[in-house]
Amino acid sequence: MRETTLMNKKIYIETYGCQMNVSDSEVIFSILGKEGYERTLEMEEADLILANTCSVRDNAEQRIWGRIEQFHKMKESRPDVIVGIVGCMAERLKDKLIETGKVDLVAGPDAYRSLPGLLRDISPDNPRINVMLSHEETYADIVPVRTDRNGVSAFISIMRGCNNVCSYCVVPYTRGAERSRDPETIVNEARDVFGKGYKEVTLLGQNVDSYLWKSEGRTVSFPELLEMVARISPDLRVRFATNHPKDISDELIETMAAYDNICNHIHLPVQSGSNRLLEKMRRRYTREWYLERVAKIREVLPGCGITTDVIAGFCSETEEDHQDTLSLFREVGFDYAYMFYYSERPGTLAARNYPDDVPLEVKTRRLNEIIALQTELSLESNRKDVGKTFRVLVEGPSKKNPEELCGRAGNDKMCVFPGKGLKAGDYADVRIASCTSATLIGEIV
Ligand code: SAH
Ligand code: SF4
Ligand code: F3S
């Protein structure tokens, strides 16, 4: 009876947070697809609504609380709809979500294989929860249902969890211990998407430099894995994120130099330019170490895109610490940055040990100063690319002008250019003629 009612049900997933969540939603579609659930893009026709959530900053969670209210309102007219919260916020808040009486299902990032079982048992007065973290789960054998729009670029998760305990960060608590995925399954997945017409894969992990597969006396490091993927075809571009400054190795930088199809872009989150704060954040590198790594990248990979993450207003940050961050930004001249102000996360080392003592208006002002500086730096960096020619992978029509195409250069910069006859997935050699702080503008040569 139950079996037949599960058939042809529709599932709608909203994904928040990082690319890892995007990749996990693809795993969930795959697991539930086998149970007869069909993906829909219309929430109104869904039988099962899942929000795959993020806890990294308080405002990420506030958005979800707002969505939970909206889902609940929708249930007034459609009481049979199942509402589930999965991902990092599910892991962090556990039964607190069930206690609202507005959520039927809660599943943490390592519990997705149990979703079919949980769904079978669910009823309005029997909400179900599984937030067990695992030391082994990598979903290695699951073929994700791709949810990207253009069929050009695919994300492949190579590891899960994180073993660094940066004092501000909730991720180790929501995603558990670090574990690496079997390299054969990664290479097979990359080969499979390439066979389906994809031209780019991005290998994902919280700290890809510490990827390490051990089995029967054999080990595979991240540079080795990268090489295995790069060898699939010179027409398959390979990207990866995120690198940790304390772990990024010469071997990785040299492997990047050895293969044309490994994109010259490194996302290297710095978080702060002040040694005192880096120590307090437990990042385990210094400003000098970071600058030396950047110098090495620039020496071996001239023109390599370098992007970063930064936090303004971490506990006890002084004006001098903030100036250290600005001066580090100037010194490196980042191509792009993801910039945030500190948001205290309950349970983290920082929340337990250091008062969140930088007033909000000071955090906001410092963040705005970093943003203003980065806008200048991005423009400066883009100007240096005017006159150069890049191999661009076409993603589709440009958002602003559908007559033109857009796609990324190897250094990760977005390029816009007229390109009659070309389509998503084609490569184009584009000569850059002008730029804004966000985009390179060029012509095919
Ligand atoms: N593993 C990656 C980061 C993942 S979280 C790394 O180590 O770099 C993505 C970014 O969110 C972090 O780089 C950091 O800049 C930001 N972030 C994490 N916790 C935060 C917090 N409590 N408040 C503000 N920003 C935070
Ligand atoms: Fe968080 Fe640090 Fe792990 Fe990145 S490396 S996920 S910032 S604990
Ligand atoms: Fe990603 Fe947010 Fe979780 S950044 S790992 S979804 S807390």
Side-chain angles (χ1 to χ4, degrees), residues 253-414:
I253 301 168
E254 280 146 19
T255 305
M256 291 173 73
Y259 290 85
D260 282 347
N261 59 330
I262 302 179
C263 290
N264 277 358
H265 168 229
I266 296 179
H267 185 62
L268 201 60
V270 69
Q271 315 300 2
S272 169
S274 148
N275 279 337
R276 193 181 68 83
L277 284 197
L278 285 171
E279 162 122 43
K280 208 167 182 152
M281 290 173 164
R282 287 179 119 247
R283 289 292 284 178
R284 294 184 282 165
Y285 54 84
T286 59
R287 172 193 180 97
E288 292 72 29
W289 170 274
Y290 188 91
L291 291 171
E292 187 282 324
R293 291 288 75 196
V294 168
K296 178 76 190 182
I297 296 165
R298 297 249 154 94
E299 175 200 324
V300 182
L301 302 167
C304 181
I306 302 181
T307 55
T308 202
D309 295 350
V310 68
I311 300 175
F314 183 60
C315 311
S316 83
E317 189 186 70
T318 62
E319 216 43 48
E320 198 186 334
D321 295 319
H322 170 58
Q323 289 303 326
D324 284 347
T325 296
L326 293 174
S327 75
L328 180 128
F329 266 58
R330 273 188 217 100
E331 221 166 301
V332 176
F334 291 112
D335 297 293
Y336 186 79
Y338 296 91
M339 300 160 277
F340 315 100
Y341 66 71
Y342 174 58
S343 163
E344 184 177 84
R345 308 313 296 130
T348 55
L349 286 176
R352 282 183 274 142
N353 296 312
Y354 313 127
D356 180 10
D357 53 3
V358 179
L360 184 59
E361 60 283 10
V362 177
K363 284 180 181 174
T364 318
R365 195 251 303 148
R366 289 181 187 163
L367 176 62
N368 286 336
E369 287 176 13
I370 300 175
I371 294 172
L373 171 60
Q374 184 52 48
T375 309
E376 274 173 42
L377 294 175
S378 297
L379 181 61
E380 215 173 282
S381 151
N382 285 352
R383 281 194 180 132
K384 284 191 199 144
D385 285 340
V386 171
K388 292 187 190 161
T389 300
F390 294 111
R391 193 166 195 227
V392 174
L393 175 59
V394 178
E395 288 178 15
S398 143
K399 278 193 199 98
K400 280 202 193 124
N401 177 2
E403 300 282 293
E404 304 206 315
L405 294 175
C406 71
R408 283 178 196 279
N411 63 10
D412 208 40
K413 289 184 186 176
M414 186 53 89

Side-chain angles (χ1 to χ4, degrees), residues 7 41 80 86 117-118 198 207 220 253 279 342 355 375 399 433:
M7 292 307 284
L41 297 173
D80 292 337
V86 302
L118 296 172
Y198 284 80
N207 177 2
V220 177
I253 301 168
E279 162 122 43
Y342 174 58
T375 309
K399 278 193 199 98

Side-chain angles (χ1 to χ4, degrees), residues 16-18 21 53-56 88 170-171 174-175 206:
Y16 298 85
C18 63
N21 263 9
T53 58
C54 176
S55 284
V56 80
C88 290
V170 78
V171 171
T174 62
R175 298 240 153 199
Q206 291 295 356

Side-chain angles (χ1 to χ4, degrees), residues 175-194:
R175 298 240 153 199
E178 182 184 289
R179 65 224 98 121
S180 297
R181 176 178 170 189
D182 182 340
E184 304 300 329
T185 67
I186 298 168
V187 173
N188 287 342
E189 189 174 328
R191 198 175 281 130
D192 179 60
V193 295
F194 182 62

Side-chain angles (χ1 to χ4, degrees), residues 26 207 225 244 246 249 258 321 431:
E26 297 182 336
N207 177 2
L225 173 73
H244 196 299
K246 77 176 164 63
S249 65
D321 295 319
R431 194 182 141 85

